[in-house]
Amino acid sequence: MSFSFAPLLIMVIGLVLVLIGAWILLRQKWLWQWLKGTAGLLLVAGAIYLVLVAVSLYSYHELNAESPVATISFRATDNQAYIATVTGRDGRTRDFRLAGDQWQLDARIIKWKTPFALLGLKPAYQLDRIQGRYFALEDERSRERTVYSFHDAPPLLDVWRQAREGWSFLVDARYGSAAYLPMADGAIFEVTVAPTGLVGRPLNGSAQQAVSGWQ
């Protein structure tokens, strides 16, 4: 018997044993009950997972071309200290105390995987955080850093984080960040979002003057 024949023989014996074992098991009624119970539990678990996914996705906004997502106005309270008022597309306003010379807004962006994108489902976004930054590297290293999340409480299932870790079969996820822009007393900026990320634009003279001063 040649050596190359041995693996084939072992495979045949294994398949025969599998068939015999399956025949014996399938004759037992308890196996059918176990299979039905397992299938039922899997269906319930799948349904709960989809409900949690839907709840998580409910907090996202559909992304259409380049959409305005927020306006941000600044009021100086001290040297390198500002109150940033963020007004979302729903009209809700939130105040944040930012320290530094510049600001940046971040958003979470999700894009549907190909099978679902073909159904016409569009990308979506969710505001994630706002932060201040000092222009001088020494200040950035030694002075107070201010970073705030827009999330009041973590969701039961974080679809975006799950996708970032490679565990989602529904969506792909990435960060969208606006370029750092200067903070100035009375400045107002508009932030828009596109599939490529966030863009901040000055809306009034104070903001335009601040941007011109940094260029």
Side-chain angles (χ1 to χ4, degrees), residues 57-208:
L57 291 176
Y58 186 74
S59 62
Y60 285 77
H61 302 283
E62 187 177 279
L63 201 167
N64 293 305
E66 189 170 321
S67 309
V69 300
T71 58
I72 306 177
S73 60
F74 294 91
R75 176 170 56 89
T77 59
D78 202 345
N79 183 37
Q80 294 181 305
Y82 299 87
I83 297 296
T85 300
V86 181
T87 304
R89 59 180 292 180
D90 57 0
R92 181 186 178 190
T93 62
R94 299 181 66 176
D95 290 337
F96 302 93
R97 184 184 62 84
L98 297 182
D101 305 296
Q102 301 171 311
W103 64 274
Q104 184 184 56
L105 190 69
D106 299 325
R108 295 178 170 192
I109 298 176
I110 58 173
K111 299 179 69 174
W112 295 93
K113 290 184 180 291
T114 301
F116 304 99
L118 293 176
L119 297 175
L121 298 176
K122 296 182 179 180
Y125 74 91
Q126 179 189 70
L127 293 182
D128 186 44
R129 64 183 183 179
I130 186 171
Q131 60 182 312
R133 186 179 76 165
Y134 296 94
F135 184 73
L137 182 58
E138 182 179 349
D139 288 340
E140 184 69 11
R141 289 176 174 174
S142 61
R143 300 191 62 180
E144 178 189 13
R145 294 292 310 278
T146 48
V147 182
Y148 301 97
S149 172
F150 283 94
H151 309 294
D152 297 324
L156 293 175
L157 177 67
D158 192 332
V159 172
W160 184 87
R161 189 170 300 280
Q162 191 178 64
R164 290 280 286 187
E165 295 172 353
W167 293 100
S168 176
F169 66 93
L170 295 171
V171 298
D172 293 316
R174 65 181 184 82
Y175 253 121
S177 300
Y180 278 102
L181 291 170
M183 293 188 283
D185 189 38
I188 303 175
F189 293 87
E190 179 186 60
V191 180
T192 59
V193 62
T196 54
L198 299 181
V199 179
R201 296 185 178 91
L203 280 185
N204 65 354
S206 296
Q208 292 172 352

